[in-house]
Amino acid sequence: MTRLVMKFGGTSVADISRIRHVARHVKREVGLGHEVAVLVSAMSGETNRLIELTRDVAALHDAREYDVVVSTGEQVTTGLLAMALQQEGVQARSWLGWQICVRTDGAHGAARIDGIDTAMIEERMAQGQVAVIAGFQGVGGDQRITTLGRGGTDTSAVAVAAALNADRCDIYTDVDGVYTTDPRIVEKSQKIDRIGYEEMLEMASQGAKVLQTRSVELAMVHDVRLQVLSSYLDPDSLDAEKLPGTLVCSEDEIVEQQVVSGIAYSRDEAKITLRQVPDKPGIAADIFGILADAGFNVDMIVQNITEDGKTTDITFTVGEADAERAVNVLKARAQPGEFGDIQADKNVAKISVVGIGMRSHSGVARTMFQTLAEKGINIQVISTSEIKVSVLIESEYTELAIRALHTAYGLDAD
Ligand code: ASP
Ligand code: MG
């Protein structure tokens, strides 16, 4: 018997007709004899609305009460979907996080799941009842409701799939899979049939916003096979043996490994440059220590050798929204003389080429640099990992760079 977890995001449950449509997707899987647990998000826009309400009461509010409020969106959709399933003649019941229970740490608003007790739902699933579970929520050690952070239902779904030892976790969303790059930029981008966890992580964290990054990390750790699918597909005309989405799985399951699987980008970057940094031990430790203590997520870092043996420049990137604050924190906390001038530039974008095949192929970086050079695009910062090459460029060239690279790596559809 196949055990399946299905997850439906906010746009998939945006209104009653969409919820009925979701019920038919679930009914199809139940009809195939599968044991099914379903995770739902709040109706699209609802979580934002709830967050606004908490802000209207007080800009600085009790995070425990924030969770009580913002977790309610999922309570509504679980109940509605359970009803819609019953209408379709499918046995179903709703479960809130605390009822199962989904145990989390106490980090309200950004809680992590510690464990899930599946005994009750397993018993019901074995009797043919679909478990409709509220995503995004859990319960902390103090018995209070917690939420997992925005987009957290993906993580709830993977955690439930891991706890149930499910054969697959199908993530239904408003796109029909993971693409070689953003289809809005490259018309000839193609849907990827299979992608490795690590590649998907690079694609997701680099701005291909299909799955919440944490959910992919969790899937990789627990080896949960994830399938991304469009909820707009007609539930009744699908070949259940071959659902037309993208499977995120371990590398062993990928027969044809591409050298480059996809091109990711992020415009949400800012470059900060420190000049006249003394070339002696301890300065980088100090600067990045200050940034870490202040909670900044630093991504790319470059430092060159000195020309005169005395000072050098350090360049790094942070999220665009953090740029001014990072500059101010460094100005306020660095020791006198640790740098001369400091500048922030938000007018940059990061472009990455990603592929597990890179491990065993050379020349990937060269192709990238050559392609950008041919288009007259200047590279400001470079960073690499085993399966990724990233460059920072002026943001106005983002589309041009992505299109050129997509062609250069042979990713364009015929
Ligand atoms: N409703 C939550 C949010 O909007 C969780 C989710 O949709 O995954 O962030
Ligand atoms: Mg979402």
Side-chain angles (χ1 to χ4, degrees):
M1 169 155 323
T2 301
R3 243 189 208 176
L4 208 57
V5 171
M6 305 171 78
K7 180 259 169 174
F8 295 89
T11 50
S12 308
V13 293
D15 55 40
I16 301 303
S17 83
R18 302 282 298 134
I19 290 174
R20 288 195 202 288
H21 187 84
V22 164
R24 286 165 53 217
H25 275 298
V26 175
K27 184 180 182 176
R28 179 192 67 238
E29 300 295 344
V30 172
L32 292 168
H34 300 155
E35 285 183 357
V36 180
V38 185
L39 276 288
V40 284
S41 292
M43 291 178 171
S44 61
E46 178 64 4
T47 308
N48 288 343
R49 189 185 73 85
L50 295 165
I51 291 172
E52 286 284 306
L53 291 177
T54 66
R55 290 196 180 136
D56 287 351
V57 176
L60 272 178
H61 42 246
D62 184 341
R64 293 162 298 192
E65 304 303 350
Y66 165 95
D67 278 349
V68 172
V69 176
V70 302
S71 62
T72 57
E74 275 75 9
Q75 174 161 350
V76 172
T77 47
T78 36
L80 291 174
L81 179 58
M83 283 180 201
L85 282 166
Q86 289 164 3
Q87 273 237 308
E88 288 280 344
V90 177
Q91 289 184 62
R93 80 153 266 194
S94 63
W95 298 87
L96 298 180
W98 62 270
Q99 292 174 311
I100 290 187
C101 92
V102 178
R103 285 173 285 108
T104 73
D105 64 14
H108 286 275
R112 290 190 165 258
I113 296 175
D114 290 331
I116 300 180
D117 307 326
T118 52
M120 277 193 297
I121 56 172
E122 283 192 70
E123 202 183 302
R124 306 290 191 96
M125 283 165 69
Q127 294 161 12
Q129 189 182 66
V130 173
V132 184
I133 303 167
F136 180 54
Q137 57 175 259
V139 55
D142 55 0
Q143 301 304 314
R144 304 207 51 177
I145 291 173
T146 53
T147 61
L148 309 181
R150 298 309 306 272
T153 303
D154 286 347
T155 300
S156 304
V158 172
V160 168
L164 285 174
N165 210 355
D167 296 274
R168 220 174 52 227
C169 180
D170 287 344
I171 307 274
Y172 285 83
T173 178
D174 50 5
V175 295
D176 58 0
V178 180
Y179 275 72
T180 47
T181 196
D182 187 339
R184 288 169 305 184
I185 295 177
V186 180
E187 228 176 87
K188 289 186 164 185
S189 64
Q190 308 185 59
K191 195 170 67 187
I192 301 173
D193 284 337
R194 287 175 182 229
I195 186 169
Y197 294 118
E198 270 184 88
E199 287 175 307
M200 186 61 213
L201 273 176
E202 293 292 0
M203 294 293 281
S205 63
Q206 302 290 316
K209 299 185 180 66
V210 185
L211 291 170
Q212 196 203 31
T213 305
R214 246 170 77 197
S215 70
V216 184
E217 286 166 359
L218 199 64
M220 180 160 90
V221 170
H222 295 283
D223 214 349
V224 172
R225 303 166 79 233
L226 277 178
Q227 179 152 253
V228 180
L229 289 157
S230 168
S231 64
Y232 291 94
L233 291 165
D234 177 3
D236 306 317
S237 67
L238 283 177
D239 177 359
E241 299 301 316
K242 209 182 170 306
L243 293 176
T246 297
L247 186 71
V248 187
C249 57
S250 93
E251 287 175 30
D252 315 337
E253 278 197 74
I254 302 173
V255 186
E256 272 178 63
Q257 290 187 355
Q258 305 291 325
V259 176
V260 168
S261 303
I263 320 263
Y265 71 99
S266 162
R267 288 196 173 91
D268 174 36
E269 307 283 324
K271 178 183 72 170
I272 295 178
T273 303
L274 305 174
R275 298 198 191 284
Q276 298 107 40
V277 178
D279 189 23
K280 60 178 195 200
I283 308 280
D286 239 24
I287 287 168
F288 292 103
I290 290 168
L291 293 168
D293 289 342
F296 291 105
N297 197 350
V298 174
D299 182 22
M300 308 167 105
I301 301 176
V302 280
Q303 180 193 320
N304 211 332
I305 51 163
T306 56
E307 239 172 72
D308 57 5
K310 293 190 187 105
T311 65
T312 181
D313 298 344
I314 293 180
T315 297
F316 60 89
T317 62
V318 292
E320 199 171 81
D322 286 338
E324 272 103 22
R325 216 164 52 83
V327 168
N328 291 335
V329 164
L330 282 174
K331 279 186 179 164
R333 300 197 196 157
Q335 302 294 323
E338 282 194 328
F339 56 85
D341 188 37
I342 180 166
Q343 279 172 339
D345 178 4
K346 294 185 185 175
N347 189 24
V348 290
K350 182 168 66 173
I351 315 287
S352 308
V353 299
V354 176
I356 38 184
M358 242 177 249
R359 292 204 189 106
S360 51
H361 279 80
S362 58
V364 174
R366 185 188 56 194
T367 302
M368 184 177 205
F369 303 156
Q370 236 164 25
T371 306
L372 296 173
E374 278 159 20
K375 296 289 175 194
I377 300 171
N378 190 39
I379 299 170
Q380 302 184 10
V381 180
I382 302 168
S383 73
T384 64
S385 78
E386 229 191 336
I387 64 160
K388 176 188 80 170
V389 184
S390 302
V391 296
L392 203 68
I393 62 171
E394 203 177 309
S395 58
E396 76 174 280
Y397 298 116
T398 308
E399 277 98 351
L400 178 63
I402 294 170
R403 286 195 196 108
L405 292 168
H406 199 267
T407 305
Y409 289 106
L411 296 172
D412 289 351
D414 307 325

